[in-house]
Amino acid sequence: MLSANSRAVTDFPPRWTVFAVLLASLACCAADPAESQDPYQARRERMVEKDIAGSSWGRTGVKDEAVLRAMRTVPRHKFVPQNLVRAAYADGPLPIGHGQTISQPYIVATMTELLKLDPEDVVLEIGTGSGYQAAVLAEIVKKVFTIEIVKTLGEQTQKRLEKLGYDKVEAKVGDGYFGWPEHAPYDAIIVTAAASHIPPPLIEQLKPGGRMVIPVGAPLQLQHLMLIEKRDDGTVVKRAIMAVRFVPLTGGGTKQ
Ligand code: SAH
C-alpha cells in the first residue's frame, strides 16, 4: 500500500508534462538568449540611452562608442551592496560602506570619455572603491592599475574583480596621492576622490601626451572636475570641465 502510494507521488506530474514544460522553457530561452543570460542587460541599455548618451538637463551626452559599449557591458549591480541592487542602474551615486560611494554612471562615463583612451593604453586609477570604474576602464584599455586607501574595502574589491574575471586590473591598498611609480609612466590617470590640489607625483607619472581627470576642491563643497593634459614638450595644461561632488582624497600627501 505504502509503496503504491509513493509510486503515485513520484509519477506526478506525468512524464509527458515534464517533457512539455522542458521544451517550452527551451523555446522561451532560445527566443532571447541575451535576456536569459543577464536579466540586467535591458536595464543597462536603458541607462546608456537615457542617462549617458542622451543630451538633456544641459548635458551634452557621452559620444565615445568604446565608453558606451563598456557602460553597456559592466554589470554595475555586482559592484553595489546586496540591498541596493535594485537601484544599481539609476543615475545616482550609491553608498558602498566605509563612508564611501560608487559614482553616478553619467560621471563615470564622462570621466572615462575625457581620458580619450586607446586600446593599448595603461591607466592608473586613484580610489578603487567598489571597482566599478576600474572595470569600465578594463573593458577599453590594455591594463589598469588601481589604488585604494581603505584596507578592508580594497581587499574586498580585489576579490570581487578577480571573481568577475577582470584580470587586466591590478589593485593594491595604499595612498594613491603618491601614485604607483613602479608602473609609470601612464597614458592616463583618473582620480575618483576630490583633492585640495593636483598631487605633483601624479603629474610626474603621466606620460607626455597623457591625460588626467581629477575633481579639485574642498570636501563636500563645490568641486571642479579638472582635465589635465601633459603636452609632448612636458608643459601642463589645466581645464575646468564641470562642477562635481566627490568624497575627499585622504592620505599623507593631502595633509601638507
Ligand atoms: N572609483 C570608485 C569610487 C570611489 S569613491 C568606484 O568606481 O566605485 C573614492 C574612493 O577613494 C574611496 O573608496 C576612498 O577610500 C578612496 N580614497 C580616498 N583617498 C585615497 C587615497 N589617498 N588613495 C587611494 N584611495 C583613496
Side-chain angles (χ1 to χ4, degrees):
M1 195 61 190
L2 192 65
S3 63
N5 270 348
S6 60
R7 199 177 312 127
V9 170
T10 49
D11 264 351
F12 185 81
R15 273 186 205 139
W16 67 266
T17 325
V18 175
F19 189 64
V21 168
L22 207 68
L23 263 185
S25 68
L26 278 177
C28 124
C29 298
D32 193 354
E35 188 86 356
S36 66
Q37 277 162 21
D38 183 354
Y40 292 93
Q41 185 65 47
R43 292 206 210 171
R44 277 199 294 280
E45 296 287 346
R46 214 175 312 129
M47 169 186 82
V48 167
E49 203 177 306
K50 187 167 104 350
D51 302 321
I52 296 173
S55 35
S56 59
W57 306 99
R59 291 176 178 180
T60 46
V62 171
K63 304 282 176 252
D64 186 324
E65 267 309 319
V67 176
L68 297 179
R69 201 179 324 116
M71 300 299 291
R72 282 193 194 101
T73 308
V74 180
R76 195 168 193 265
H77 62 282
K78 295 198 174 155
F79 292 83
V80 303
Q82 200 64 44
N83 62 329
L84 293 174
V85 162
R86 289 176 65 172
Y89 296 103
D91 194 32
L94 291 170
I96 53 171
H98 311 273
Q100 306 304 335
T101 54
I102 176 173
S103 309
Q104 173 188 356
Y106 175 72
I107 296 292
V108 171
T110 299
M111 288 174 82
T112 310
E113 183 176 54
L114 285 168
L115 295 175
K116 294 203 181 76
L117 298 171
D118 180 273
E120 287 303 306
D121 281 355
V122 177
V123 182
L124 174 67
E125 180 196 26
I126 310 304
T128 316
S130 69
Y132 178 68
Q133 174 74 73
V136 168
L137 293 166
E139 293 288 344
I140 305 171
V141 301
K142 189 169 78 180
K143 185 81 195 175
V144 179
F145 294 97
T146 182
I147 310 175
E148 171 56 52
I149 203 165
V150 177
K151 188 167 184 278
T152 42
L153 181 58
E155 287 172 352
Q156 180 187 321
T157 298
Q158 281 179 31
K159 284 194 198 114
R160 168 182 297 138
L161 288 165
E162 263 167 43
K163 195 172 145 206
L164 294 175
Y166 283 102
D167 46 14
K168 283 188 199 171
V169 181
E170 193 171 328
K172 76 164 183 180
V173 169
D175 185 351
Y177 181 93
F178 302 101
W180 196 336
E182 291 86 342
H183 304 290
Y186 301 98
D187 298 287
I189 299 180
I190 178 168
V191 182
T192 61
S196 58
H197 59 275
I198 301 163
L202 298 184
I203 301 255
E204 221 160 88
Q205 290 171 33
L206 194 59
K207 235 183 219 175
R211 285 109 14 234
M212 165 157 71
V213 279
I214 175 170
V216 178
L220 305 177
Q221 287 184 20
L222 188 75
Q223 303 150 1
H224 285 104
L225 185 64
M226 304 290 297
L227 173 65
I228 287 107
E229 294 182 73
K230 193 177 195 175
R231 294 207 172 131
D232 288 332
D233 65 3
T235 50
V236 172
V237 183
K238 301 170 193 170
R239 188 152 59 99
I241 302 294
M242 63 198 275
V244 286
R245 186 177 289 224
F246 275 81
V247 296
L249 186 79
T250 58
T254 55
K255 293 201 181 82
Q256 299 159 1

